[in-house]
């Protein structure tokens, strides 16, 4: 559960930012500069992050909580790109001066975010240009993830896409326990359907078949992964 931001000290901001893989190797001086521009904001569950300014040029680091990234159509159809948790950085594409792609960022749980104005972030990067390399590598990795997602959506079967989605969520949000790896977030079947681009009924049928095969256990809006290796095998099937 996220807690509302207090008057964060410089040291607390530095500690939160250092947990982010992008900033972990940064020199102390540049990290201090970054902490000086970071603005903590609390978002209750369901709150849209850029509600008042959809094109606001800010990235943000998730200090706690979870953020859903999605897009919707004029017809009301919703596609969920992913659910991200700490210490991920999101919306870094807003470093570009061109208007960003209009993804919706919404607090999936009570969340505490550290906002980073991109003009100020770019100035810090310009002061030590080698740090742009870390940004470039991050964006390349995310581009690769996007291509894999596109391939899966267009070429993969539904059971492959479900297996890959559950395996990815387990790696990001999984909590190891005696019964397996519990996904540490509420995951209604409607939400899974939005992530896979299918109906709730299709999700329910496939989850039940995975459960019958001993791959997962389903309890209301919670899913426990019983056999992650088997899910990876299904996801990688040609």
């Amino acid at each position: 559960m996220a807690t509302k931001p207090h008057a964060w000290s410089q040291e607390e901001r530095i500690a939160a930012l250092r947990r982010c893989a992008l900033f972990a190797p940064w020199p102390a001086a540049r990290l201090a500069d970054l902490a000086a521009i970071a603005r903590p904001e609390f978002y209750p569950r369901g709150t849209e992050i850029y509600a008042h300014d959809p094109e606001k040029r800010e990235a943000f680091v998730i200090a706690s909580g979870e953020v859903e990234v999605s897009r919707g159509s004029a017809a009301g159809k919703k596609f969920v790109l992913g659910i991200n948790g700490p210490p991920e950085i999101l919306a870094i594409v807003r470093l570009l001066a061109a208007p960003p792609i209009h993804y919706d960022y919404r607090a999936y749980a009570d969340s505490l975010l550290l906002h980073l104005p991109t003009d100020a972030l770019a100035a810090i990067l310009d002061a030590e240009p080698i740090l742009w390399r870390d940004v470039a590598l991050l964006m390349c990795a995310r581009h690769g993830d996007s291509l894999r997602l596109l391939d899966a959506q267009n070429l993969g079967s539904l059971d492959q896409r479900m297996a890959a989605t559950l395996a990815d969520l387990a790696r990001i949000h999984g909590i190891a326990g005696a019964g397996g790896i519990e996904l540490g977030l509420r995951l209604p079947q409607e939400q899974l359907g939005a992530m896979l681009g299918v109906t709730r009924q299709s999700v329910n049928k496939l989850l039940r078949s995975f459960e019958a095969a001993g791959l997962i256990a389903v309890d209301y809006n919670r899913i426990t992964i019983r056999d992650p290796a088997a899910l990876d095998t299904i996801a990688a099937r040609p």
Side-chain angles (χ1 to χ4, degrees):
M1 179 69 68
T3 56
K4 295 182 180 180
H6 53 277
W8 278 39
S9 69
Q10 176 80 347
E11 290 73 20
E12 287 174 311
R13 294 173 196 234
I14 289 173
L17 291 166
R18 192 177 289 282
R19 286 193 290 272
C20 178
L22 175 62
F23 303 127
W26 277 28
R30 297 288 81 83
L31 201 59
D33 292 339
L34 187 68
I37 68 168
R39 186 185 79 254
E41 294 282 350
F42 174 78
Y43 294 88
R45 178 185 166 196
T47 306
E48 189 175 342
I49 308 304
Y50 295 110
H52 301 297
D53 186 357
E55 295 187 2
K56 189 163 190 173
R57 295 191 60 229
E58 287 188 346
F60 60 86
V61 172
I62 305 173
S64 61
E66 291 148 0
V67 174
E68 174 194 271
V69 185
S70 67
R71 290 198 74 185
S73 70
K77 186 176 181 180
K78 177 180 175 182
F79 173 69
V80 175
L81 185 66
I83 300 172
N84 300 268
E88 285 291 326
I89 182 169
L90 296 180
I92 196 167
V93 69
R94 293 178 182 233
L95 274 165
L96 299 174
I101 299 171
H102 286 283
Y103 287 112
D104 295 321
Y105 298 87
R106 190 176 300 273
Y108 191 73
D110 289 352
S111 299
L112 183 58
L113 311 180
L114 290 174
H115 287 265
L116 303 169
T118 53
D119 285 342
L121 174 56
I124 294 170
L125 290 163
D126 288 343
E128 196 151 347
I130 188 63
L131 299 180
W132 277 107
R133 177 180 182 274
D134 297 328
V135 175
L137 290 173
L138 173 64
M139 297 309 297
C140 286
R142 291 192 175 173
H143 180 60
D145 290 340
S146 296
L147 291 176
R148 283 188 289 274
L149 177 62
L150 185 62
D151 284 347
Q153 288 292 328
N154 286 283
L155 302 176
S157 64
L158 180 54
D159 61 336
Q160 286 176 295
R161 289 155 52 203
M162 174 69 83
T165 297
L166 293 177
D168 285 344
L169 289 171
R171 279 186 279 271
I172 297 169
H173 303 282
I175 302 169
I181 302 173
E182 181 181 345
L183 301 187
L185 73 166
R186 292 177 64 259
L187 199 61
Q189 292 181 11
E190 292 86 350
Q191 184 76 9
L192 263 177
M195 297 177 78
L196 296 169
V198 298
T199 65
R200 178 189 178 281
Q201 290 75 18
S202 296
V203 167
N204 181 268
K205 181 178 179 181
L206 190 53
L207 286 178
R208 294 306 169 192
S209 71
F210 276 19
E211 188 171 34
L215 306 181
I216 63 173
V218 180
D219 182 16
Y220 296 104
N221 292 331
R222 298 285 180 179
I223 296 175
T224 300
I225 309 300
R226 301 285 197 196
D227 192 343
L231 289 180
D232 285 335
T233 298
I234 293 171
R237 197 169 57 207

